[in-house]
Amino acid sequence: MVSAPRAGEGAMTMENFTTLPEGFEVPIEGFVVRCPRCGRNGVLERPRESRPFCLHAQESTLFSDGLRVEPTDSCELPDA
Ligand SMILES: [Zn+2]
C-alpha cells in the first residue's frame, strides 16, 4: 500500500531576496542590504560561528518534522 503524502508536505518554496528593497526587514532573517560583491540585494546574515554572508535566494522545504532551509545563492562577505 502506498500512502500519499499529506497536502503541503514536501512542498518546496523558493525565496528570492534580490527583488526586495534595501532596508526591508525580513522576519527572522534580517535586513536587506546591497551586496558589496555582486551588487544585488540580499539579506545580511551574521552566523555566530562563521563569516557573514549575503543571502540572495533560498529554498525551503516543508517536512513533517519541520521546515528545512537551504541557501541556494549567497555571497560570502569579508569580515566587517
Ligand atoms: Zn552577492
Side-chain angles (χ1 to χ4, degrees):
M1 177 183 150
V2 178
S3 61
R6 280 193 317 230
E9 196 168 305
M12 208 154 64
T13 316
M14 270 289 278
E15 286 173 279
N16 184 353
F17 299 115
T18 60
T19 56
L20 297 175
E22 223 175 319
F24 185 86
E25 187 180 359
V26 181
I28 305 165
E29 306 288 344
F31 284 94
V32 175
V33 296
R34 186 173 294 271
C35 178
R37 291 193 59 176
C38 68
R40 293 175 299 160
N41 285 1
V43 176
L44 180 64
E45 299 270 357
R46 292 182 178 278
R48 251 178 249 172
E49 321 243 312
S50 57
R51 289 163 156 271
F53 62 97
C54 189
L55 179 65
H56 297 302
Q58 70 183 13
E59 217 170 64
S60 22
T61 312
L62 190 63
F63 292 94
S64 52
D65 58 348
L67 192 69
R68 198 166 307 165
V69 181
E70 297 255 15
T72 52
D73 188 2
S74 65
C75 293
E76 203 175 88
L77 302 179
D79 283 311

Coordinates of all heavy atoms in Angstrom, one line a residue:
M1 N 0.8 -1.2 0.0 CA 0.0 0.0 0.0 C 0.9 1.2 0.0 O 1.8 1.3 0.7 CB -0.9 0.0 1.3 CG -1.8 1.2 1.4 SD -2.7 1.2 2.9 CE -2.9 2.9 3.3
V2 N 0.5 2.1 -0.9 CA 1.3 3.4 -0.9 C 0.5 4.5 -0.2 O -0.6 4.7 -0.6 CB 1.5 3.8 -2.4 CG1 2.3 5.1 -2.5 CG2 2.3 2.7 -3.1
S3 N 1.2 5.1 0.7 CA 0.5 6.2 1.4 C 0.9 7.5 0.7 O 2.0 7.8 0.5 CB 0.8 6.3 2.9 OG 2.2 6.5 3.0
A4 N -0.1 8.3 0.3 CA 0.1 9.5 -0.3 C 0.6 10.6 0.7 O 0.1 10.5 1.8 CB -1.2 10.0 -1.0
P5 N 1.5 11.4 0.3 CA 1.9 12.4 1.2 C 0.8 13.4 1.5 O -0.1 13.6 0.7 CB 3.1 13.2 0.5 CG 2.9 12.8 -0.9 CD 2.2 11.5 -1.0
R6 N 0.8 13.9 2.7 CA -0.2 14.9 3.1 C -0.1 16.1 2.2 O 1.0 16.4 1.8 CB 0.0 15.3 4.6 CG -0.6 14.3 5.5 CD -0.7 14.9 6.9 NE 0.5 15.6 7.2 CZ 1.2 15.5 8.3 NH1 0.8 14.6 9.2 NH2 2.3 16.2 8.5
A7 N -1.1 16.8 2.1 CA -1.1 18.0 1.3 C -0.1 19.0 1.9 O -0.1 19.2 3.1 CB -2.4 18.6 1.2
G8 N 0.8 19.5 1.1 CA 1.7 20.5 1.6 C 3.0 19.9 2.0 O 4.0 20.6 2.0
E9 N 3.1 18.7 2.4 CA 4.3 18.1 2.8 C 5.3 17.9 1.6 O 4.9 17.4 0.6 CB 4.1 16.7 3.5 CG 5.3 16.3 4.3 CD 4.9 15.1 5.2 OE1 3.9 15.3 6.0 OE2 5.6 14.1 5.1
G10 N 6.5 18.2 1.8 CA 7.5 18.1 0.7 C 7.4 19.3 -0.2 O 8.1 19.3 -1.2
A11 N 6.5 20.2 0.0 CA 6.4 21.4 -0.9 C 7.6 22.3 -0.7 O 8.1 22.6 0.4 CB 5.1 22.2 -0.5
M12 N 8.1 22.7 -1.9 CA 9.3 23.5 -1.9 C 9.0 24.9 -2.3 O 8.2 25.1 -3.2 CB 10.3 22.9 -2.9 CG 11.7 23.1 -2.6 SD 12.7 21.9 -3.3 CE 12.5 22.1 -5.0
T13 N 9.5 25.8 -1.5 CA 9.3 27.2 -1.8 C 10.6 27.9 -2.1 O 11.6 27.7 -1.3 CB 8.7 27.9 -0.6 OG1 7.6 27.1 -0.1 CG2 8.1 29.3 -1.0
M14 N 10.7 28.6 -3.2 CA 11.9 29.4 -3.4 C 11.7 30.8 -3.0 O 10.7 31.4 -3.3 CB 12.2 29.5 -5.0 CG 13.0 28.3 -5.5 SD 14.7 28.5 -5.0 CE 15.3 29.7 -6.2
E15 N 12.6 31.3 -2.2 CA 12.5 32.7 -1.8 C 13.7 33.5 -2.4 O 14.8 33.1 -2.4 CB 12.6 32.8 -0.3 CG 11.4 32.3 0.4 CD 11.6 32.3 1.9 OE1 12.2 31.3 2.4 OE2 11.2 33.2 2.6
N16 N 13.3 34.5 -3.1 CA 14.3 35.4 -3.8 C 14.4 36.7 -3.1 O 13.4 37.4 -3.1 CB 13.9 35.5 -5.2 CG 14.9 36.2 -6.0 OD1 15.9 36.8 -5.5 ND2 14.7 36.3 -7.3
F17 N 15.5 37.0 -2.5 CA 15.7 38.2 -1.7 C 16.2 39.4 -2.6 O 16.3 40.5 -2.1 CB 16.6 38.0 -0.5 CG 16.0 37.0 0.4 CD1 16.7 35.8 0.7 CD2 14.8 37.2 1.1 CE1 16.2 34.9 1.5 CE2 14.3 36.3 2.0 CZ 15.0 35.1 2.2
T18 N 16.6 39.1 -3.8 CA 17.3 40.1 -4.6 C 16.2 41.2 -5.1 O 16.6 42.3 -5.5 CB 17.9 39.5 -5.9 OG1 17.0 38.9 -6.7 CG2 19.0 38.6 -5.5
T19 N 15.0 40.8 -5.0 CA 13.9 41.8 -5.5 C 13.4 42.7 -4.4 O 12.6 43.6 -4.7 CB 12.8 41.0 -6.1 OG1 12.3 40.1 -5.1 CG2 13.2 40.2 -7.4
L20 N 13.8 42.4 -3.2 CA 13.4 43.2 -2.1 C 14.1 44.5 -2.0 O 15.3 44.6 -2.3 CB 13.5 42.4 -0.7 CG 12.7 41.2 -0.6 CD1 13.0 40.4 0.7 CD2 11.2 41.4 -0.7
P21 N 13.5 45.6 -1.5 CA 14.1 46.9 -1.4 C 15.1 46.9 -0.3 O 15.0 46.2 0.7 CB 13.0 47.8 -1.2 CG 11.9 47.0 -0.6 CD 12.0 45.6 -1.2
E22 N 16.2 47.7 -0.5 CA 17.2 47.8 0.5 C 16.6 48.4 1.8 O 15.8 49.3 1.8 CB 18.3 48.8 0.0 CG 19.7 48.4 0.3 CD 20.6 49.4 -0.4 OE1 20.4 49.8 -1.5 OE2 21.6 49.8 0.3
G23 N 17.0 47.8 3.0 CA 16.5 48.3 4.2 C 15.2 47.6 4.7 O 14.8 47.7 5.8
F24 N 14.7 46.7 3.8 CA 13.5 45.9 4.1 C 13.8 44.9 5.2 O 14.9 44.3 5.1 CB 13.0 45.2 2.9 CG 11.7 44.5 3.0 CD1 10.5 45.2 2.8 CD2 11.7 43.1 3.3 CE1 9.3 44.5 3.0 CE2 10.5 42.4 3.4 CZ 9.3 43.1 3.3
E25 N 12.9 44.7 6.2 CA 13.2 43.8 7.2 C 12.5 42.5 6.9 O 11.3 42.4 6.8 CB 12.8 44.3 8.6 CG 13.3 43.3 9.7 CD 12.9 43.8 11.1 OE1 12.3 44.9 11.2 OE2 13.2 43.0 12.0
V26 N 13.3 41.4 6.8 CA 12.7 40.1 6.6 C 12.6 39.4 7.9 O 13.6 39.3 8.6 CB 13.6 39.2 5.6 CG1 13.0 37.8 5.4 CG2 13.8 39.9 4.3
P27 N 11.4 39.1 8.4 CA 11.2 38.5 9.7 C 12.2 37.3 9.9 O 12.3 36.5 9.0 CB 9.8 38.0 9.7 CG 9.1 38.9 8.7 CD 10.1 39.2 7.7
I28 N 12.8 37.2 11.1 CA 13.7 36.2 11.4 C 15.1 36.3 10.8 O 16.1 36.2 11.4 CB 13.2 34.7 11.2 CG1 11.9 34.6 12.0 CG2 14.2 33.7 11.7 CD1 11.1 33.4 11.5
E29 N 15.1 36.6 9.4 CA 16.3 36.6 8.7 C 17.2 37.8 8.9 O 18.4 37.7 9.2 CB 16.1 36.5 7.2 CG 15.2 35.3 6.8 CD 15.9 34.0 6.9 OE1 17.2 34.0 7.0 OE2 15.3 32.9 6.9
G30 N 16.7 38.9 8.8 CA 17.5 40.1 8.9 C 17.1 41.2 8.0 O 16.0 41.2 7.4
F31 N 18.0 42.1 7.7 CA 17.7 43.3 6.9 C 18.3 43.1 5.5 O 19.3 42.5 5.3 CB 18.3 44.6 7.5 CG 17.4 45.1 8.6 CD1 17.8 44.7 9.9 CD2 16.3 45.9 8.4 CE1 17.0 45.2 11.0 CE2 15.5 46.3 9.4 CZ 15.9 46.0 10.7
V32 N 17.6 43.7 4.5 CA 18.1 43.6 3.1 C 19.2 44.7 2.9 O 18.9 45.9 3.2 CB 16.9 43.8 2.1 CG1 17.4 43.8 0.7 CG2 15.9 42.6 2.3
V33 N 20.3 44.3 2.3 CA 21.4 45.2 2.0 C 21.8 45.0 0.6 O 21.5 44.0 0.0 CB 22.6 45.0 2.9 CG1 22.3 45.3 4.4 CG2 23.2 43.6 2.8
R34 N 22.5 45.9 0.0 CA 23.1 45.7 -1.3 C 24.4 45.0 -1.1 O 25.3 45.4 -0.4 CB 23.3 47.1 -2.0 CG 23.8 46.9 -3.4 CD 23.8 48.2 -4.2 NE 22.4 48.7 -4.3 CZ 21.6 48.5 -5.4 NH1 22.1 47.7 -6.4 NH2 20.5 49.0 -5.5
C35 N 24.6 43.9 -1.8 CA 25.7 43.0 -1.7 C 27.0 43.7 -2.2 O 27.0 44.2 -3.4 CB 25.5 41.7 -2.4 SG 26.9 40.6 -2.3
P36 N 28.0 43.9 -1.4 CA 29.2 44.5 -1.9 C 30.0 43.7 -3.0 O 30.8 44.2 -3.7 CB 30.1 44.7 -0.7 CG 29.6 43.8 0.3 CD 28.1 43.5 0.0
R37 N 29.7 42.4 -3.1 CA 30.4 41.6 -4.0 C 29.7 41.5 -5.4 O 30.4 41.4 -6.4 CB 30.5 40.2 -3.5 CG 31.5 40.2 -2.3 CD 31.9 38.8 -1.9 NE 32.6 38.1 -3.0 CZ 33.1 36.9 -2.8 NH1 33.0 36.3 -1.7 NH2 33.6 36.3 -3.9
C38 N 28.4 41.5 -5.4 CA 27.7 41.3 -6.7 C 26.7 42.4 -7.1 O 26.2 42.5 -8.2 CB 27.0 39.9 -6.8 SG 25.6 39.8 -5.8
G39 N 26.5 43.3 -6.1 CA 25.6 44.4 -6.4 C 24.1 44.2 -6.3 O 23.3 45.1 -6.5
R40 N 23.8 42.9 -6.1 CA 22.3 42.6 -6.0 C 21.9 42.8 -4.5 O 22.8 42.8 -3.6 CB 22.1 41.2 -6.4 CG 22.3 41.0 -7.9 CD 22.1 39.5 -8.3 NE 23.1 38.7 -7.5 CZ 23.0 37.4 -7.3 NH1 21.9 36.7 -7.8 NH2 23.9 36.7 -6.7
N41 N 20.6 42.8 -4.3 CA 20.2 42.9 -2.9 C 20.1 41.5 -2.3 O 19.9 40.5 -3.0 CB 18.8 43.6 -2.8 CG 18.9 45.1 -3.1 OD1 20.0 45.6 -3.3 ND2 17.8 45.8 -3.0
G42 N 20.2 41.5 -1.0 CA 20.2 40.2 -0.3 C 20.1 40.5 1.2 O 20.3 41.6 1.7
V43 N 19.8 39.4 2.0 CA 19.7 39.6 3.4 C 21.0 39.3 4.0 O 21.7 38.3 3.8 CB 18.7 38.5 4.0 CG1 18.6 38.6 5.5 CG2 17.3 38.8 3.4
L44 N 21.4 40.3 4.9 CA 22.7 40.1 5.6 C 22.6 39.2 6.7 O 21.8 39.4 7.6 CB 23.1 41.5 6.1 CG 24.5 41.6 6.8 CD1 25.6 41.2 5.9 CD2 24.7 43.0 7.4
E45 N 23.3 38.1 6.7 CA 23.3 37.1 7.7 C 24.6 37.1 8.5 O 25.7 37.2 7.9 CB 23.2 35.7 7.1 CG 21.9 35.5 6.3 CD 20.7 35.0 7.1 OE1 20.9 34.7 8.3 OE2 19.6 34.8 6.6
R46 N 24.5 37.0 9.8 CA 25.7 37.0 10.6 C 25.7 35.8 11.5 O 25.4 35.9 12.7 CB 25.8 38.3 11.5 CG 26.0 39.6 10.7 CD 26.1 40.8 11.6 NE 26.4 42.0 10.8 CZ 27.6 42.3 10.4 NH1 28.6 41.6 10.7 NH2 27.8 43.5 9.8
P47 N 26.1 34.7 11.0 CA 26.1 33.5 11.8 C 27.2 33.6 12.9 O 28.3 34.2 12.6 CB 26.5 32.3 10.9 CG 26.5 32.9 9.5 CD 26.6 34.4 9.6
R48 N 27.0 33.1 14.1 CA 28.0 33.3 15.1 C 29.3 32.5 14.8 O 30.4 33.0 15.2 CB 27.4 32.7 16.4 CG 27.1 33.9 17.4 CD 26.5 33.3 18.7 NE 25.1 33.7 18.8 CZ 24.2 33.3 19.7 NH1 24.6 32.4 20.5 NH2 23.0 33.7 19.7
E49 N 29.2 31.4 14.2 CA 30.3 30.5 14.0 C 31.0 30.7 12.7 O 32.0 30.0 12.5 CB 29.9 29.1 14.2 CG 28.9 28.9 15.3 CD 29.4 28.0 16.4 OE1 29.9 26.9 16.1 OE2 29.2 28.4 17.6
S50 N 30.5 31.5 11.8 CA 31.2 31.6 10.5 C 31.2 33.0 10.0 O 30.6 33.9 10.7 CB 30.6 30.6 9.5 OG 29.3 30.9 9.4
R51 N 31.7 33.2 8.8 CA 31.8 34.6 8.3 C 30.4 35.0 7.9 O 29.5 34.3 7.6 CB 32.6 34.5 7.0 CG 34.1 34.3 7.2 CD 34.7 33.9 5.9 NE 36.1 34.2 5.9 CZ 36.6 35.4 5.5 NH1 35.8 36.3 5.0 NH2 37.9 35.6 5.6
P52 N 30.2 36.4 7.9 CA 28.9 36.9 7.5 C 28.7 36.6 6.0 O 29.7 36.5 5.2 CB 29.0 38.4 7.8 CG 30.5 38.7 7.9 CD 31.1 37.4 8.4
F53 N 27.5 36.5 5.5 CA 27.3 36.3 4.1 C 26.0 37.1 3.7 O 25.2 37.4 4.6 CB 27.2 34.9 3.7 CG 26.1 34.1 4.4 CD1 24.9 33.9 3.7 CD2 26.3 33.5 5.6 CE1 23.9 33.1 4.3 CE2 25.3 32.8 6.2 CZ 24.1 32.6 5.6
C54 N 25.9 37.3 2.4 CA 24.7 38.0 1.9 C 23.9 36.9 1.2 O 24.3 36.3 0.2 CB 25.2 39.1 1.0 SG 23.8 40.1 0.4
L55 N 22.7 36.7 1.7 CA 21.8 35.6 1.2 C 20.9 36.2 0.1 O 20.1 37.1 0.4 CB 21.0 35.0 2.3 CG 20.0 33.9 2.0 CD1 20.8 32.7 1.5 CD2 19.2 33.6 3.2
H56 N 21.0 35.7 -1.1 CA 20.2 36.2 -2.2 C 19.0 35.3 -2.5 O 18.0 35.8 -2.9 CB 21.1 36.3 -3.5 CG 22.2 37.2 -3.4 ND1 22.0 38.6 -3.1 CD2 23.5 37.1 -3.5 CE1 23.2 39.2 -3.0 NE2 24.1 38.3 -3.3
A57 N 19.1 34.0 -2.3 CA 18.0 33.2 -2.5 C 18.1 31.9 -1.7 O 19.2 31.5 -1.4 CB 17.9 32.7 -4.0
Q58 N 17.0 31.4 -1.3 CA 17.0 30.2 -0.5 C 15.8 29.3 -0.9 O 14.8 29.8 -1.4 CB 17.0 30.4 1.0 CG 15.8 31.0 1.6 CD 15.9 31.3 3.1 OE1 17.0 31.3 3.6 NE2 14.8 31.6 3.7
E59 N 15.9 28.0 -0.5 CA 14.8 27.1 -0.9 C 14.3 26.5 0.4 O 15.2 26.1 1.2 CB 15.5 26.0 -1.7 CG 14.7 25.4 -2.8 CD 15.6 24.5 -3.6 OE1 16.0 23.5 -3.1 OE2 15.8 24.8 -4.8
S60 N 13.1 26.6 0.7 CA 12.6 26.0 2.0 C 11.7 24.8 1.6 O 10.8 25.0 0.7 CB 11.9 27.0 2.9 OG 11.5 28.1 2.3
T61 N 11.9 23.7 2.3 CA 11.0 22.5 2.0 C 10.4 22.2 3.4 O 11.0 22.1 4.4 CB 11.9 21.4 1.6 OG1 12.8 21.8 0.5 CG2 11.0 20.2 1.0
L62 N 9.1 21.9 3.3 CA 8.3 21.6 4.5 C 8.3 20.1 4.7 O 7.8 19.3 3.8 CB 6.9 22.1 4.3 CG 6.0 22.1 5.5 CD1 6.6 23.0 6.6 CD2 4.6 22.5 5.2
F63 N 8.8 19.6 5.8 CA 8.7 18.2 6.2 C 7.8 18.1 7.3 O 7.4 19.1 8.0 CB 10.1 17.7 6.5 CG 11.1 17.7 5.3 CD1 11.9 18.7 5.1 CD2 11.1 16.6 4.5 CE1 12.8 18.7 4.0 CE2 11.9 16.5 3.4 CZ 12.8 17.6 3.2
S64 N 7.4 16.8 7.6 CA 6.5 16.6 8.7 C 7.1 17.0 10.0 O 6.4 17.4 11.0 CB 6.1 15.1 8.8 OG 7.3 14.3 8.8
D65 N 8.5 17.0 10.1 CA 9.1 17.4 11.4 C 9.6 18.8 11.4 O 10.3 19.2 12.3 CB 10.2 16.4 11.7 CG 11.3 16.4 10.6 OD1 11.0 16.9 9.5 OD2 12.4 15.8 10.9
G66 N 9.3 19.6 10.3 CA 9.7 21.0 10.3 C 10.1 21.5 9.0 O 9.9 20.8 8.0
L67 N 10.6 22.6 9.0 CA 11.0 23.3 7.8 C 12.5 23.2 7.6 O 13.3 23.5 8.5 CB 10.6 24.8 7.9 CG 10.6 25.6 6.6 CD1 9.5 25.2 5.6 CD2 10.3 27.1 7.0
R68 N 12.9 22.8 6.4 CA 14.4 22.8 6.1 C 14.7 23.9 5.1 O 14.1 24.0 4.1 CB 14.8 21.4 5.6 CG 16.3 21.2 5.7 CD 16.6 19.7 5.4 NE 15.8 18.9 6.3 CZ 15.7 17.5 6.1 NH1 16.2 17.0 5.1 NH2 14.9 16.8 6.9
V69 N 15.7 24.7 5.5 CA 16.0 25.9 4.6 C 17.4 25.7 4.1 O 18.4 25.4 4.9 CB 15.9 27.2 5.4 CG1 16.2 28.3 4.5 CG2 14.5 27.3 6.0
E70 N 17.6 25.8 2.8 CA 18.9 25.7 2.1 C 19.2 26.9 1.4 O 18.4 27.3 0.5 CB 18.9 24.5 1.1 CG 18.6 23.2 1.7 CD 19.9 22.3 1.8 OE1 21.0 22.9 1.6 OE2 19.8 21.1 2.0
P71 N 20.3 27.6 1.7 CA 20.7 28.7 0.8 C 21.1 28.2 -0.6 O 21.8 27.3 -0.7 CB 21.9 29.3 1.5 CG 22.0 28.6 2.8 CD 21.3 27.3 2.7
T72 N 20.5 28.8 -1.6 CA 20.8 28.4 -3.0 C 21.7 29.4 -3.7 O 22.3 29.1 -4.7 CB 19.6 28.2 -3.8 OG1 18.7 29.3 -3.7 CG2 18.8 27.0 -3.3
D73 N 21.7 30.6 -3.2 CA 22.5 31.7 -3.8 C 22.9 32.7 -2.7 O 22.1 33.3 -2.1 CB 21.7 32.4 -4.9 CG 22.5 33.3 -5.7 OD1 23.7 33.5 -5.5 OD2 21.8 34.0 -6.6
S74 N 24.2 32.7 -2.5 CA 24.7 33.7 -1.5 C 26.2 34.1 -1.7 O 26.9 33.4 -2.4 CB 24.6 33.0 -0.1 OG 25.4 31.9 0.0
C75 N 26.6 35.2 -1.2 CA 28.0 35.6 -1.3 C 28.6 35.7 0.1 O 28.0 36.3 0.9 CB 28.1 37.0 -2.0 SG 27.5 37.0 -3.7
E76 N 29.8 35.2 0.2 CA 30.5 35.3 1.5 C 31.1 36.7 1.5 O 31.6 37.2 0.5 CB 31.6 34.3 1.6 CG 31.9 34.0 3.0 CD 32.9 32.8 3.1 OE1 34.1 33.1 3.0 OE2 32.5 31.7 3.2
L77 N 30.9 37.3 2.7 CA 31.5 38.7 2.8 C 32.7 38.7 3.6 O 32.9 37.9 4.5 CB 30.4 39.6 3.5 CG 29.1 39.7 2.8 CD1 28.1 40.6 3.6 CD2 29.2 40.2 1.4
P78 N 33.6 39.7 3.3 CA 34.8 39.8 4.2 C 34.4 40.2 5.6 O 33.3 40.9 5.7 CB 35.6 40.9 3.5 CG 34.6 41.6 2.6 CD 33.5 40.7 2.3
D79 N 35.1 39.9 6.5 CA 34.8 40.3 7.9 C 34.7 41.8 8.0 O 35.6 42.5 7.6 CB 35.8 39.7 8.9 CG 35.6 38.2 9.1 OD1 34.5 37.8 9.4 OD2 36.6 37.5 9.0
A80 N 33.6 42.2 8.6 CA 33.4 43.7 8.8 C 34.2 44.2 10.0 O 34.5 43.5 10.9 CB 32.0 44.0 8.9
Ligands
ZN1 ZN 26.1 38.8 -3.7

